[in-house]
Amino acid sequence: MLILLPPSEGKADTGSGKPLDLARLSLPALHPAREQALDALVALCAGDADTAADTLGLSPGLRGEITRNTQLRTAKALPAGSLYTGVLYDNLGLADLPAPAKTRAKRTLLIFSGLWGTLRIDDRVPPYRCAMGVRLPGVGLLSTHWRDAMAQALPEAAGTGLVLDLRSSMYTPAWTPRGDVAARTATVRVLHERNGARTVVSHFNKATKGRLVRDLLLDGANPRTPAELVTALRDLKHTVEELPPARPGRPWQLDIVVTEL
């Protein structure tokens, strides 16, 4: 099973170890695209600060991120599993997973990133600021920049198993599952049911997805198809409604229904 996660805006302030070594990051097929994105971001942030802030969509209170980005090749790095601190990751709770579940997390989780493409949780990178929707000079829109490299790397990472796609909409254009991989892919929507009515949730969408992944890791479940995933989630007491694809070769959609937020 491969679980695709978005990153988070919230990140640790500093690293705690050796600087970045791009060649040691997982999915080496992404290496050339990583080099290009990193060079372009550092050059942008070493130039005019107003241009960098506009390009990265930074508010005045975040202008310090420009200086941070100029130092990405020399700054202390930390594991990606410790870098992201947003709602999804708070509820996933990687730090306090027991050893067997943490081993499964290292094998199954893949975090999408505008700057790095994707990261395993033990890939070491420095704190940075660069979303997938950014257009870097000389590189262009990052979601487009990653497509060719992802088309090679992601099917290899998925192998013959299930893909649980929990990415937010900003990150889905960087890779679209196709063919046999798409048929083994499930996406998740979180719905809040109250007084017989259902609404799509946003903030608690992230919290629910974090708890869902944690439950799967703790349980040791290894579903190989979307149908098996539905069974596994129901066994873990999640309320799940499945929407099989209208045509073969398309992902399934799973609705996770919650009554408490």
Side-chain angles (χ1 to χ4, degrees):
M1 178 169 58
L2 188 67
I3 302 176
L4 309 182
L5 300 177
S8 67
E9 289 293 323
K11 298 181 182 69
D13 289 333
T14 60
S16 57
K18 294 180 180 180
L20 171 72
D21 184 349
L22 274 180
R24 294 180 66 87
L25 297 184
S26 60
L27 279 68
L30 301 180
H31 182 78
R34 286 173 175 146
E35 287 276 13
Q36 293 167 357
L38 181 59
D39 285 346
L41 179 61
V42 171
L44 168 70
C45 292
D48 180 73
D50 289 337
T51 300
D54 289 344
T55 301
L56 298 176
L58 299 180
S59 65
L62 292 174
R63 298 277 288 222
E65 299 290 338
I66 298 172
T67 301
R68 185 198 296 273
N69 281 347
T70 66
Q71 301 167 354
L72 289 174
R73 288 193 179 273
T74 57
K76 292 181 178 180
L78 74 168
S82 301
L83 173 63
Y84 299 106
T85 60
V87 173
L88 188 153
Y89 293 90
D90 287 345
N91 284 270
L92 172 51
L94 289 169
D96 64 2
L97 285 175
K102 191 167 290 186
T103 297
R104 285 189 286 273
K106 291 178 181 179
R107 185 176 65 247
T108 61
L109 302 187
L110 204 59
I111 303 169
F112 272 62
S113 163
L115 180 58
W116 314 112
T118 65
L119 297 168
R120 299 283 189 184
I121 65 168
D122 52 355
D123 281 331
R124 299 181 61 85
V125 295
Y128 67 98
R129 177 71 61 165
C130 187
M132 189 67 82
V134 165
R135 293 180 182 272
L136 288 177
V139 169
L141 183 64
L142 284 169
S143 58
T144 302
H145 170 71
W146 289 111
R147 284 179 186 168
D148 287 347
M150 294 278 192
Q152 174 185 349
L154 267 293
E156 293 178 1
T160 60
L162 171 74
V163 177
L164 175 54
D165 189 352
L166 302 179
R167 294 175 293 168
S168 53
S169 59
M170 179 182 292
Y171 293 88
T172 55
W175 182 60
T176 301
R178 301 189 185 281
D180 180 57
V181 178
R184 292 182 276 110
T185 296
T187 63
V188 167
R189 181 174 64 167
V190 180
L191 301 176
H192 180 212
E193 184 171 86
R194 184 179 181 184
N195 298 326
R198 293 179 178 179
T199 57
V200 177
V201 296
S202 54
H203 175 85
F204 289 98
N205 166 63
K206 298 175 183 178
T208 300
K209 288 178 178 179
R211 291 192 292 266
L212 182 151
V213 174
R214 184 179 178 87
D215 287 347
L216 288 170
L217 294 173
L218 288 172
D219 182 71
N222 188 31
R224 299 193 61 83
T225 67
E228 290 181 10
L229 175 62
V230 170
T231 298
L233 291 174
R234 287 174 176 164
D235 288 345
L236 291 167
K237 309 306 180 186
H238 292 277
T239 300
V240 186
E241 295 180 358
E242 71 268 37
L243 299 173
R247 301 201 306 269
R250 294 292 183 90
W252 287 44
Q253 178 180 304
L254 307 185
D255 285 346
I256 307 296
V257 182
V258 296
T259 56
E260 297 181 2
L261 296 179

